[in-house]
Amino acid sequence: MKFVVRPQHIISVGGYINETQFPYRNLVVVNPTEEPIKIDIPIFEEEWIEEHRKLGLEITPVREEDSFLTAFRKAKARLDAQINKKTP
């Protein structure tokens, strides 16, 4: 199945992770580009991260001991800074 990440948007894909073999409880996915990018879901393997980074996505893995909210806010701040740099 595919999911589209809209241009310059951020999403969480924790609900699409197959937790039996995946080491992270959530992923913060940022599309900093000006084009929509399709991602494969559900997520089964760590290789998914590197494959989707090659598409131009910024991915922040969130482990059990990490704060999801902190990771999401940091990613959102980076995305907002990138968008503000492009806007004259």
Side-chain angles (χ1 to χ4, degrees):
M1 183 161 46
K2 300 278 187 179
F3 187 85
V4 176
V5 183
R6 296 185 316 169
Q8 300 178 333
H9 276 79
I10 183 170
I11 62 169
S12 164
V13 294
Y16 298 103
I17 293 175
N18 180 337
E19 298 176 10
T20 59
Q21 297 185 10
F22 198 72
Y24 305 108
R25 67 180 170 115
N26 208 332
L27 297 174
V28 177
V29 180
V30 179
N31 180 0
T33 71
E34 295 183 11
E35 298 291 328
I37 296 178
K38 289 182 185 177
I39 62 173
D40 296 312
I41 54 172
I43 302 164
F44 294 102
E45 300 173 338
E46 257 185 288
E47 290 79 26
W48 184 97
I49 296 171
E50 194 55 42
E51 290 170 9
H52 287 77
R53 282 181 175 154
K54 289 177 184 176
L55 297 175
L57 296 170
E58 296 173 6
I59 301 172
T60 304
V62 180
R63 293 191 182 274
E64 203 58 47
E65 62 273 7
D66 297 335
S67 167
F68 166 75
L69 190 54
T70 299
F72 191 90
R73 286 180 177 165
K74 286 180 182 179
K76 178 76 169 124
R78 285 192 305 269
L79 178 61
D80 289 344
Q82 288 176 333
I83 291 170
N84 290 335
K85 276 185 179 180
K86 293 179 183 179
T87 307

